[in-house]
Amino acid sequence: MPNQIKIFNKLESFNKTIEVTSDKSLSIRAVLLASQAIGVSTISNLLESEDVLNTVKSLKKLGINCKKIGNKYKIHGYGLNGFEIKKKTTIDAGNSGTLGRLILGLLVKSEKTVKIIGDKSLSKRDFSRVTEPLKKFGTNIKSKKNSLPIEILGTDFLRPINYFETRGSAQCKSAIMLAALNTPGTTIIKAKKSRNHTELLFKYLKLPIKLKSNKDFDFIEVTGLKQFNAFNYLVPGDISSSAFFIVLTALSKNSKIRIKNVNINKSRTGIITILKKMNCKISLKNKKIYKGEETSDILVESSKNIKAFSCPSSLNSSAIDEFLAIFLIAAKAKGISSFKNLGELNKKESPRLNIAVRFLKNIGIKVERQKNDIKIFGNPNLKVNKNIHIKNYLKDHRVFMMACIAALSFGGKWKINDKDSINTSFPIFIKILKKLGAKIN
Ligand code: S3P
């Protein structure tokens, strides 16, 4: 069957240095903000995955000149709301929630109606979480349900809003921050903690932003209508892509890996905090700060005595895209690990909490679930001795990658459908697995 891979062998030990592809969140934000700057911005090391290339394509449709020269993307911005929009423009956000939601924030002042569509998975996801607050700015938004397709027509009479973000969603927070750029006056946001890349980029671009925070919330004020100049940005590696190799190494015998130049912004490193508590050997070397973002090499060694962990929900947001990988570590731990309030996991590219519970049970792990809390009964001697076929998961890239890591770590004879899903975030995932010695057909 095309697009299906087979893994029939566990991975032997390895000792390698790898580079994962660039950070998806930063790639999308850098390109979107460049479209609002004055002049030609240069983005280097942009992630060339479907989600990011769809962002570039969408901006081109909105009249922004984007060109790839050598390995750099040149984005020609004409300032805030400097779009030239043709009648009946449709933007296809593909699989990307980040693109679909953030671009709505940029379109609050659009002079023509823009329709946003997405693939089957994105069309199932809730957009009211961004359209409801965006409507309060005064912009016109139409959708039949709370999901795509959505039509947006901007207004010249935008007004700033007070917004309380309660889910820990960086997409919601960022969509409102982008809308605030085009809005006169000061938009005030109280947001449950989530990744802060948009805030750091606003600061680097010297946009009028005030930031305060306490343990649980960030308080953000953005004053609109300040033009800013084009910029250069070099995108570092993605910790969400690294996660699969961190876990694979921890679960493999006598192995070591160095993952070079990864973004280790504290709002993203929940996986490192959690896995260290579970006795995994992880260290960060060669730390640097780049335009407010912290980067480093990540070194991981095999872990012999993985232990269970009760994960506090305060770590959920900083590990939100990594839980599928973290659950594999919990499956091999001594003891019972618990994870709480993971409702947001079911709001991703696929219902990941439901899928993870089914997946873990299928590989012989006992799981107890109460609503959005789960307990994973780890088995340090876990070995899979059966045939497993992974299919019908809405082509969620992270489910595909989790299944590959489980197959290479626990054994069994696996068939995994929809290999192309990795193109949304990490097109060279399988190539790197093969470099580590994985046998994949
Ligand atoms: C992202 C935010 C998170 C994350 C997604 C990328 C971003 O989503 O899951 O993969 O770039 O802002 P939510 O904002 O829905 O939590």
Short mmCIF file of all heavy atoms in Angstrom, two decimals, residues 24-25 29 98 101-102 125 129 168-172 174 195 197 320-321 344 348-349 352 398, ligand 1:
data_model
loop_
_atom_site.label_atom_id
_atom_site.label_comp_id
_atom_site.label_asym_id
_atom_site.label_seq_id
_atom_site.Cartn_x
_atom_site.Cartn_y
_atom_site.Cartn_z
N LYS A 24 8.50 25.22 13.88
CA LYS A 24 7.30 25.54 13.08
C LYS A 24 6.63 26.81 13.59
O LYS A 24 6.26 27.68 12.80
CB LYS A 24 6.34 24.35 13.13
CG LYS A 24 5.06 24.54 12.35
CD LYS A 24 4.53 23.22 11.81
CE LYS A 24 3.95 22.32 12.87
NZ LYS A 24 2.52 22.52 13.07
N SER A 25 6.47 26.93 14.90
CA SER A 25 5.81 28.12 15.46
C SER A 25 6.57 29.39 15.08
O SER A 25 5.97 30.40 14.70
CB SER A 25 5.77 28.03 16.99
OG SER A 25 4.91 27.01 17.38
N ARG A 29 5.39 32.48 12.49
CA ARG A 29 5.32 33.85 13.03
C ARG A 29 6.26 34.80 12.30
O ARG A 29 5.92 35.95 12.03
CB ARG A 29 5.65 33.83 14.53
CG ARG A 29 4.48 33.34 15.40
CD ARG A 29 4.99 32.97 16.78
NE ARG A 29 3.92 32.63 17.71
CZ ARG A 29 3.25 31.48 17.71
NH1 ARG A 29 3.52 30.57 16.79
NH2 ARG A 29 2.30 31.24 18.62
N THR A 98 -2.23 26.95 13.48
CA THR A 98 -1.49 28.19 13.73
C THR A 98 -1.71 29.16 12.58
O THR A 98 -2.05 30.34 12.80
CB THR A 98 0.02 27.89 13.93
OG1 THR A 98 0.14 26.88 14.93
CG2 THR A 98 0.76 29.13 14.37
N ARG A 101 -5.53 30.35 12.39
CA ARG A 101 -5.97 31.25 13.47
C ARG A 101 -5.19 32.57 13.45
O ARG A 101 -5.79 33.64 13.60
CB ARG A 101 -5.84 30.54 14.82
CG ARG A 101 -6.87 29.39 14.93
CD ARG A 101 -6.71 28.59 16.17
NE ARG A 101 -7.76 27.57 16.28
CZ ARG A 101 -7.57 26.37 16.77
NH1 ARG A 101 -6.38 26.00 17.20
NH2 ARG A 101 -8.57 25.51 16.84
N LEU A 102 -3.89 32.50 13.26
CA LEU A 102 -3.10 33.74 13.31
C LEU A 102 -3.42 34.66 12.13
O LEU A 102 -3.46 35.88 12.28
CB LEU A 102 -1.59 33.44 13.36
CG LEU A 102 -1.00 33.35 14.78
CD1 LEU A 102 -1.68 32.29 15.60
CD2 LEU A 102 0.50 33.11 14.74
N ARG A 125 -11.82 21.47 13.61
CA ARG A 125 -11.33 22.13 14.84
C ARG A 125 -12.09 23.41 15.13
O ARG A 125 -12.62 24.07 14.23
CB ARG A 125 -9.81 22.38 14.71
CG ARG A 125 -9.07 21.05 14.63
CD ARG A 125 -7.61 21.22 14.39
NE ARG A 125 -6.91 21.76 15.55
CZ ARG A 125 -5.61 22.04 15.56
NH1 ARG A 125 -4.88 21.83 14.46
NH2 ARG A 125 -5.04 22.51 16.64
N ARG A 129 -12.99 29.96 19.21
CA ARG A 129 -12.05 30.44 20.23
C ARG A 129 -11.26 31.66 19.74
O ARG A 129 -10.75 32.42 20.55
CB ARG A 129 -11.12 29.32 20.70
CG ARG A 129 -10.37 28.63 19.58
CD ARG A 129 -9.34 27.63 20.08
NE ARG A 129 -9.91 26.51 20.80
CZ ARG A 129 -9.19 25.67 21.55
NH1 ARG A 129 -7.88 25.83 21.65
NH2 ARG A 129 -9.77 24.69 22.18
N GLY A 168 -4.74 28.46 27.82
CA GLY A 168 -3.29 28.28 27.64
C GLY A 168 -2.99 28.06 26.17
O GLY A 168 -2.10 27.29 25.81
N SER A 169 -3.75 28.74 25.29
CA SER A 169 -3.55 28.59 23.85
C SER A 169 -2.76 29.77 23.28
O SER A 169 -3.24 30.90 23.26
CB SER A 169 -4.89 28.47 23.13
OG SER A 169 -4.70 28.75 21.75
N ALA A 170 -1.57 29.47 22.78
CA ALA A 170 -0.74 30.53 22.18
C ALA A 170 -1.33 30.99 20.85
O ALA A 170 -1.11 32.12 20.44
CB ALA A 170 0.67 30.01 21.96
N GLN A 171 -2.07 30.11 20.19
CA GLN A 171 -2.69 30.52 18.92
C GLN A 171 -3.73 31.59 19.18
O GLN A 171 -3.80 32.59 18.44
CB GLN A 171 -3.31 29.31 18.22
CG GLN A 171 -2.26 28.33 17.73
CD GLN A 171 -2.85 27.08 17.10
OE1 GLN A 171 -4.06 26.89 17.06
NE2 GLN A 171 -1.98 26.20 16.63
N CYS A 172 -4.56 31.40 20.21
CA CYS A 172 -5.59 32.41 20.52
C CYS A 172 -4.93 33.72 20.92
O CYS A 172 -5.25 34.78 20.40
CB CYS A 172 -6.50 31.92 21.65
SG CYS A 172 -7.47 30.48 21.18
N SER A 174 -1.97 34.83 20.30
CA SER A 174 -1.23 35.47 19.21
C SER A 174 -2.16 36.09 18.18
O SER A 174 -1.87 37.16 17.63
CB SER A 174 -0.32 34.44 18.51
OG SER A 174 0.58 33.91 19.45
N ARG A 195 3.21 29.28 25.03
CA ARG A 195 4.48 29.68 24.38
C ARG A 195 4.45 31.18 24.06
O ARG A 195 3.42 31.71 23.64
CB ARG A 195 4.74 28.83 23.13
CG ARG A 195 3.73 28.98 22.04
CD ARG A 195 3.93 27.91 20.96
NE ARG A 195 3.62 26.58 21.48
CZ ARG A 195 3.85 25.45 20.84
NH1 ARG A 195 4.41 25.46 19.64
NH2 ARG A 195 3.54 24.29 21.37
N HIS A 197 6.45 33.09 21.92
CA HIS A 197 7.24 33.53 20.75
C HIS A 197 6.75 34.86 20.18
O HIS A 197 7.54 35.68 19.75
CB HIS A 197 7.20 32.48 19.64
CG HIS A 197 7.67 31.13 20.06
ND1 HIS A 197 8.88 30.91 20.64
CD2 HIS A 197 7.08 29.92 19.96
CE1 HIS A 197 9.02 29.60 20.88
NE2 HIS A 197 7.93 29.00 20.48
N ILE A 320 2.64 20.67 25.43
CA ILE A 320 1.36 20.27 24.81
C ILE A 320 1.54 19.42 23.55
O ILE A 320 0.79 18.48 23.33
CB ILE A 320 0.44 21.49 24.56
CG1 ILE A 320 -0.98 21.06 24.23
CG2 ILE A 320 1.00 22.43 23.49
CD1 ILE A 320 -1.72 20.41 25.34
N ASP A 321 2.56 19.72 22.74
CA ASP A 321 2.73 18.95 21.51
C ASP A 321 3.61 17.71 21.71
O ASP A 321 3.84 16.95 20.77
CB ASP A 321 3.36 19.83 20.42
CG ASP A 321 2.37 20.88 19.93
OD1 ASP A 321 1.15 20.71 20.12
OD2 ASP A 321 2.82 21.89 19.35
N GLU A 344 -7.23 19.78 26.21
CA GLU A 344 -6.75 20.47 25.00
C GLU A 344 -6.10 19.49 24.01
O GLU A 344 -6.06 19.75 22.81
CB GLU A 344 -5.76 21.57 25.36
CG GLU A 344 -6.40 22.90 25.72
CD GLU A 344 -7.19 23.54 24.56
OE1 GLU A 344 -6.58 23.89 23.55
OE2 GLU A 344 -8.41 23.68 24.69
N LYS A 348 -6.47 18.92 19.09
CA LYS A 348 -5.35 19.08 18.14
C LYS A 348 -5.69 18.49 16.77
O LYS A 348 -6.85 18.24 16.48
CB LYS A 348 -4.09 18.43 18.73
CG LYS A 348 -3.65 19.08 20.04
CD LYS A 348 -3.21 20.50 19.84
CE LYS A 348 -2.97 21.21 21.15
NZ LYS A 348 -2.81 22.65 21.01
N GLU A 349 -4.67 18.22 15.96
CA GLU A 349 -4.89 17.74 14.60
C GLU A 349 -5.75 16.47 14.58
O GLU A 349 -6.43 16.16 13.60
CB GLU A 349 -3.53 17.47 13.92
CG GLU A 349 -2.78 18.73 13.53
CD GLU A 349 -1.91 19.31 14.65
OE1 GLU A 349 -2.29 19.21 15.83
OE2 GLU A 349 -0.85 19.88 14.32
N ARG A 352 -6.04 13.60 20.25
CA ARG A 352 -4.82 12.87 20.66
C ARG A 352 -4.95 12.13 21.98
O ARG A 352 -4.30 11.11 22.17
CB ARG A 352 -3.63 13.84 20.73
CG ARG A 352 -3.12 14.22 19.38
CD ARG A 352 -1.91 15.12 19.47
NE ARG A 352 -1.56 15.59 18.12
CZ ARG A 352 -0.86 16.67 17.86
NH1 ARG A 352 -0.39 17.41 18.85
NH2 ARG A 352 -0.60 17.01 16.63
N ARG A 398 1.93 13.85 14.38
CA ARG A 398 2.56 13.44 15.64
C ARG A 398 2.14 12.02 16.06
O ARG A 398 2.89 11.32 16.73
CB ARG A 398 2.28 14.45 16.74
CG ARG A 398 2.88 15.83 16.41
CD ARG A 398 3.00 16.72 17.63
NE ARG A 398 2.90 18.13 17.28
CZ ARG A 398 3.87 18.86 16.73
NH1 ARG A 398 5.04 18.32 16.47
NH2 ARG A 398 3.68 20.13 16.44
C1 S3P B 1 1.08 26.63 18.56
C2 S3P B 1 0.34 26.57 19.70
C3 S3P B 1 -0.23 25.32 20.25
C4 S3P B 1 0.43 24.10 19.63
C5 S3P B 1 0.55 24.21 18.14
C6 S3P B 1 1.39 25.43 17.77
C7 S3P B 1 1.56 27.95 18.10
O1 S3P B 1 -1.61 25.27 19.95
O2 S3P B 1 -0.29 22.94 19.96
O3 S3P B 1 1.14 23.05 17.60
O4 S3P B 1 2.44 28.00 17.23
O5 S3P B 1 1.07 28.96 18.61
P1 S3P B 1 -2.72 25.98 20.89
O6 S3P B 1 -2.51 27.43 20.84
O7 S3P B 1 -4.04 25.59 20.28
O8 S3P B 1 -2.53 25.38 22.25
#
